[in-house]
């Protein structure tokens, strides 16, 4: 009975034809045959993405390279990366006694929040994992249009890959029209958890790589992020989001935004677009209410805060403590339910925070690193292309 239910959910949904392609022109594309530094810039920071994630983002060819025409974003253990000041691997000793001064090592640091630019081994706060986050900030942004991405997500336990957009301009220079995150919005085309075996305890449904989500984040403040009113997932039982390439489209107009995976509609906000005759849409302030301190004047257009330029971000985060990767009470790797296999459960808790969480994670590396090693190149997020189309 359970199986039957799962099968139905996995294949639910109808192919949705995106109309009016003839009215759209390609305005920007990257075929990812090489890392084009006129389009993308690396983030360099140990900040943790605002979610207490465990990686330091650096600009290193071991973590970001093109192969077979696809850009690869691959996490590594920092100890195996080359320290550019010594030309030797960082090694584990660096994690215990070194100083990760990102501006000194890589020439710049892009986010100073949460001690993002300098970490010290003596304080045990050097992230044990190196990874990549690249963005088009300052180089490309667009307002309304269709974004199409063909990519596959990384495989191996406890990664959190994403292809998404944030407002144009620099949040920390207060260049975002409606204020800092999430007041000016965030659009997530695809994100997933990279585990092959992760499943929800209650339903038995996949919580890992067989499931991908699309989400809008927006709200009047951090505690009032109303993403839970604008997200949806898609399951693919025939070929998961890591073993196969999939096509993701975001169709963003003045009247609504819709997300597609492999031609199937995943999410539509509002459900009835604002220009349809039976629309009851009164904007995001209305959708998000009640608010602690309403600001009805703030988002004063149909789509606000999604009425301004946004730029792309692609990254492979590892770990994190904001709940995106659920604790063991909610979801577990299937094998960890068996006696003697408890060590395959998640090695940290979301209440830990970045420093404790990443130390627990790294101490238990023998329990998960093999899942990275066995995937070979599939440990990397692989991006075939990103394209943006706009109306005439
Ligand atoms: C490291 O290698 C680079 C290029 O091979 C070289 O330019 C640099 O001088 C070396 N630095 C050290 C500290 O050996
Ligand atoms: C967004 O892109 C436009 C060009 O389409 C450019 O004029 C503008 O400066 C960009 N905005 C930011 C904040 O980078
Ligand atoms: C599953 O993924 C494959 C490979 O990308 C795709 O061709 C297929 O349409 C997807 N199926 C569903 C039901 O989403
Ligand atoms: C609403 O706007 C969308 C996007 O611009 C368009 O494709 C659609 O045809 C419009 N619907 C109506 C009823 O005008
Ligand atoms: C909308 O609000 C912004 C500030 O949030 C303001 O700059 C703009 O003039 C307002 N537009 C209208 C049409 O009221």
């Amino acid at each position: 009975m359970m199986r039957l239910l799962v099968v139905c959910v996995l294949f639910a949904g109808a192919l949705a034809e995106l109309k009016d392609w003839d009215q759209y022109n390609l305005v920007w594309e990257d075929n990812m045959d090489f890392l084009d530094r006129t389009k993308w810039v690396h983030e360099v920071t140990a900040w943790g993405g605002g979610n207490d994630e465990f990686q330091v983002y650096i600009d290193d060819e071991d973590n970001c390279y093109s192969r077979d025409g696809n850009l690869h974003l691959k996490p590594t253990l920092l100890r195996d990366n080359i320290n550019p000041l010594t030309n030797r691997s960082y090694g584990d000793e660096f994690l215990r006694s070194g100083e990760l001064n990102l501006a000194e090592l890589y020439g710049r640091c892009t986010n100073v929040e949460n001690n993002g630019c300098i970490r010290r081994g003596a304080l045990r706060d050097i992230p044990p994992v190196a990874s990549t986050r690249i963005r088009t900030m300052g180089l490309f942004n667009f307002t309304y249009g269709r974004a199409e991405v063909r990519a596959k997500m990384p495989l191996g336990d406890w990664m959190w890959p994403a292809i998404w957009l944030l407002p144009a301009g620099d949040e920390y220079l207060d260049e975002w029209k409606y204020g800092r995150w999430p007041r000016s919005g965030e659009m997530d085309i695809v994100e997933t958890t990279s585990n092959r075996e992760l499943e929800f305890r209650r339903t038995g449904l996949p919580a890992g790589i067989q499931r991908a989500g699309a989400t809008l984040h927006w709200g009047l403040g951090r505690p009032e992020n109303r993403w839970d009113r604008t997200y949806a997932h898609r399951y693919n039982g025939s070929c998961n989001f890591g073993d196969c390439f999939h096509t993701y489209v975001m169709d963003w107009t003045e009247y609504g935004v819709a997300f597609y995976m492999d031609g199937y509609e995943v999410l539509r906000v509002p459900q009835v677009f604002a220009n349809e005759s039976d629309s009851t849409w009164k904007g995001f302030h209305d959708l998000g209410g009640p608010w602690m301190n309403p600001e009805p004047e703030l988002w004063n257009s149909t789509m606000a805060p999604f009425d301004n330029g946004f730029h792309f971000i692609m990254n492979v985060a590892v770990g994190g403590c904001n709940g995106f990767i659920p604790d063991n009470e909610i979801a577990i790797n299937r094998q960890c339910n068996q006696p003697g296999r408890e060590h395959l459960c998640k090695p940290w808790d979301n209440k830990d925070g970045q420093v404790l969480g990443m130390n627990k994670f790294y101490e238990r590396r023998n329990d998960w690193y093999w899942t990275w090693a066995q995937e070979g190149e599939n440990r990397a997020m692989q991006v075939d292309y990103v394209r943006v189309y706009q109306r005439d």
Side-chain angles (χ1 to χ4, degrees):
M1 198 55 216
M2 198 63 215
R3 283 252 170 256
L4 209 65
L5 178 73
V6 170
V7 169
C8 293
V9 173
L10 293 183
F11 296 100
L15 271 173
E17 231 16 81
L18 256 177
K19 288 182 292 219
D20 306 327
W21 270 114
D22 56 326
Q23 297 171 26
Y24 281 81
N25 298 315
L26 184 67
V27 296
W28 188 87
E29 77 174 323
D30 192 341
N31 288 315
M32 301 292 166
D33 298 333
F34 62 99
L35 176 69
D36 186 342
R37 290 179 186 267
T38 69
K39 292 179 174 153
W40 302 94
V41 263
H42 278 273
E43 292 223 40
V44 178
T45 178
W47 159 53
N51 305 307
D52 293 321
E53 298 150 14
F54 305 159
Q55 75 288 326
V56 54
Y57 290 124
I58 57 178
D59 181 351
D60 186 318
E61 285 175 6
D62 285 351
N63 301 104
C64 185
Y65 53 90
S66 261
R67 184 166 296 172
D68 303 328
N70 304 318
L71 191 70
H72 289 51
L73 283 71
K74 181 183 180 178
T76 54
L77 299 183
L78 182 65
R79 69 166 184 211
D80 298 331
N81 286 75
I82 299 295
N83 177 335
L85 293 181
T86 64
N87 285 350
R88 295 211 304 262
S89 315
Y90 282 100
D92 272 326
E93 185 52 33
F94 186 85
L95 295 178
R96 289 188 291 267
S97 60
E99 182 180 87
L100 187 73
N101 182 329
L102 292 170
E104 227 170 62
L105 287 158
Y106 298 97
R108 66 214 174 83
C109 175
T110 56
N111 196 323
V112 68
E113 305 275 306
N114 191 30
N115 303 320
C117 295
I118 299 184
R119 294 293 181 92
R120 292 187 178 83
L123 302 177
R124 292 290 185 275
D125 67 359
I126 297 180
V129 174
S131 193
T132 297
R133 172 159 153 160
I134 53 174
R135 57 185 179 178
T136 66
M137 193 180 94
L139 299 173
F140 174 69
N141 73 84
F142 69 105
T143 313
Y144 306 128
R146 289 179 178 170
E148 182 181 52
V149 180
R150 185 169 180 272
K152 63 201 196 105
M153 299 296 115
L155 281 159
D157 283 0
W158 315 121
M159 298 174 210
W160 172 9
I163 298 175
W164 51 300
L165 300 109
L166 281 173
D170 190 331
E171 173 179 12
Y172 299 99
L173 299 177
D174 288 316
E175 291 175 348
W176 290 0
K177 178 164 175 196
Y178 302 108
R180 290 200 177 181
W181 192 91
R183 291 170 64 88
S184 296
E186 167 186 323
M187 300 192 273
D188 300 344
I189 295 176
V190 53
E191 57 184 341
T192 182
T193 307
S194 59
N195 299 42
R196 283 187 182 276
E197 305 283 347
L198 200 66
E199 61 184 35
F200 289 108
R201 295 188 104 137
R202 200 170 56 77
T203 58
L205 284 170
I209 198 67
Q210 298 78 9
R211 173 183 188 257
T215 310
L216 295 177
H217 290 266
W218 49 282
L220 296 183
R222 279 182 170 262
E224 291 190 295
N225 177 356
R226 300 296 195 229
W227 68 274
D228 56 343
R229 299 182 191 189
T230 52
Y231 80 102
H233 289 100
R234 186 159 179 84
Y235 296 87
N236 192 315
S238 50
C239 195
N240 69 50
F241 294 94
D243 283 314
C244 290
F245 279 91
H246 294 266
T247 304
Y248 305 91
V249 172
M250 180 181 80
D251 184 27
W252 176 29
T253 78
E254 299 92 316
Y255 310 110
V257 56
F259 295 84
Y260 299 80
M261 295 184 187
D262 300 319
Y264 293 84
E265 185 181 297
V266 180
L267 174 68
R268 171 173 285 262
V269 184
Q271 202 50 247
V272 178
F273 271 22
N275 60 339
E276 305 292 323
S277 56
D278 53 343
S279 168
T280 56
W281 179 245
K282 295 203 249 345
F284 283 91
H285 192 276
D286 177 65
L287 180 67
W291 303 97
M292 284 185 299
N293 296 301
E295 296 179 53
E297 313 294 303
L298 178 74
W299 293 329
N300 52 15
S301 81
T302 306
M303 281 301 283
F306 303 99
D307 62 346
N308 281 282
F310 276 70
H311 70 267
F312 285 109
I313 301 169
M314 307 196 292
N315 67 298
V316 176
V318 177
C321 299
N322 74 334
F324 182 84
I325 301 181
D327 279 342
N328 292 318
E329 297 78 59
I330 310 278
I332 51 169
N333 276 334
R334 205 172 307 142
Q335 326 92 312
C336 106
N337 233 353
Q338 297 158 20
R341 312 276 281 169
E342 298 83 359
H343 59 282
L344 298 175
C345 284
K346 184 181 164 190
W348 80 98
D349 299 302
N350 287 321
K351 65 169 162 28
D352 289 339
Q354 191 191 37
V355 173
L356 180 57
M358 75 193 191
N359 276 289
K360 285 186 179 177
F361 180 68
Y362 194 56
E363 277 159 23
R364 291 266 304 274
R365 60 189 173 276
N366 290 340
D367 296 332
W368 54 263
Y369 187 72
W370 63 273
T371 67
W372 291 21
Q374 74 175 10
E375 299 293 349
E377 285 300 290
N378 283 347
R379 187 211 301 188
M381 179 197 270
Q382 299 178 20
V383 185
D384 183 11
Y385 60 76
V386 181
R387 296 178 182 149
V388 176
Y389 301 84
Q390 284 180 319
R391 263 178 213 270
D392 300 333

